[in-house]
Amino acid sequence: MLKLHAAVGAAMACVAVAAPAMASADCKLIQIAQFKLDPHSASPLVDGTVNGHPVKVLLDTGSDFSEITYYETQKLGLPTSEMTGARAYGVGGSTQMYSAEINRLEVGDLARNNIVLLVAGDRHDASEVGVVIGDDVLSKADIEFDLAHNAIRLFEPKGCTSQQLVYWGAAYSQADLLPWERDAPRIQTQVLLNGKQTLAELDSGADTTFVDASVADADGASRSAADAPTGPIHGAGPTPEESWVGHFDSFGLGDEKISHVAIQVVNIMRGMSYTTTGDLTPRRVSSTQMYVGDDFLRAHRVFVDNQDHLILFSYQGGPVFSTAQSAPSVK
C-alpha cells in the first residue's frame, strides 16, 4: 500500500520550472543541465566529448568519483599521473591509482574545464563506456531521474517546497535521504526487506537492483530450485555462480510497499576500494547492503531533494524489479 502525497502540476520552461502560486510564489526550480540518454542502452549512457573527442559517458550515482578508463586515456593521448598514497583494492590484491587531467569535458548541457579524473580499468581493455560521471559531480545539484523519457536532469531549487519539486503533477511517495559526507556523497536511504531495515543506495550505474547475499540470508529470503544463476550484473561484478534470485515477502521504500518481490542477490563486497591517506589496509567497499538500480528508476520518476534530505518518487507503471513481475499496490 502507498501513502500517496498530492502533487500540483507545473510547466517546464527552457531553464526553469514554474511552480504553482498556491504553494509558494517565490519557488524557482532552475534547470542546470539535461542529459538525453541513449534509448537503446539499459544503462544511462549519454554522448560527451573529452578535449573535443567523442566519448560515451555513464551517469553513475553508485560511483563516488568520476573516472576515465585507462584505455580511453591512451586512445586520446592523455598523460596519466600516479596518485601518491592512493591504492585500489580488489580480491587479488591492490594496485596503484592514477589520474588524468582533462582540458574540457562536455556531457549534455554540462561543461567543465581543467578537471582531474581518476583513471580506471585495464589499459588494454576497450569498453563501451569511456567516462563515468559519479556522485562527486552529480551530488552538487538536485537530480531528477526520468528514465521512461530517456532523460536525467540537474536542478537548483530556490524557495521550493517538496510538493513543488514533483513538478510533473503526479501523486508521489517519499523516503528520507540519509546525510552524506562532503568528500563521499552517496544517495542512501533505509529500505525494509521482510520488515527489516536495510541500508540501500540509489545506483544508476546498476542495470538491476541487487542485495547482498548476507542480508538475503539474514532476512529469510527464499530460493527455489528453479532459480538458476542469472549471470553478471553491470555495476556488481559477480560471477554467474555468485548470483541468484531471492524471494522476499515484502519490500518498502518510504511510503511505497510491495508484496512478494524477487530481487537479485550477489556478494556485494567483492568490488574495489581505495584510500588517499596512505592507509594500505584493505577495507570493505562500503556498508551499503542493497543497490537500487535502473529497473526501479525506469518504473518510477524520481527527484532527489538534497536540501530537504528527501527522495520523491512517482510510480509510473510496470515491474519495479527486473526479476519480478510485481508492482506496488496503490490505494
Side-chain angles (χ1 to χ4, degrees), residues 191-274:
V191 304
L192 293 177
L193 284 176
N194 288 353
K196 297 181 180 178
Q197 278 200 340
T198 302
L199 180 61
E201 183 170 334
L202 207 60
D203 184 0
S204 62
D207 297 342
T208 303
T209 295
F210 56 96
V211 64
D212 187 56
S214 63
V215 172
D217 291 336
D219 289 354
S222 62
R223 174 180 178 178
S224 67
D227 289 328
T230 57
I233 303 173
H234 177 73
T239 64
E241 292 75 19
E242 296 172 319
S243 175
W244 50 282
V245 177
H247 296 270
F248 298 84
D249 292 334
S250 63
F251 166 86
L253 173 58
D255 303 328
E256 184 172 274
K257 313 296 180 186
I258 314 175
S259 299
H260 308 298
V261 299
I263 299 174
Q264 199 77 28
V265 178
V266 303
N267 185 350
I268 289 177
M269 303 309 174
R270 294 193 61 178
M272 289 196 303
S273 180
Y274 57 85

Side-chain angles (χ1 to χ4, degrees), residues 10-87:
M12 176 178 284
C14 293
V15 295
V17 174
M22 63 176 289
S24 171
D26 297 328
C27 174
K28 294 181 180 179
L29 187 52
I30 302 168
Q31 182 175 296
I32 300 172
Q34 175 171 257
F35 306 105
K36 297 179 180 179
L37 310 181
D38 182 349
H40 304 295
S41 174
S43 302
L45 285 183
V46 296
D47 291 324
T49 62
V50 171
N51 296 347
H53 299 279
V55 64
K56 288 292 184 180
V57 180
L58 173 67
L59 303 178
D60 186 1
T61 60
S63 177
D64 291 349
F65 299 96
S66 300
E67 303 172 342
I68 185 170
T69 64
Y70 217 130
Y71 183 88
E72 200 70 29
T73 63
Q74 293 184 118
K75 186 173 75 172
L76 300 180
L78 300 176
T80 59
S81 301
E82 184 175 300
M83 298 175 64
T84 304
R87 308 286 297 182

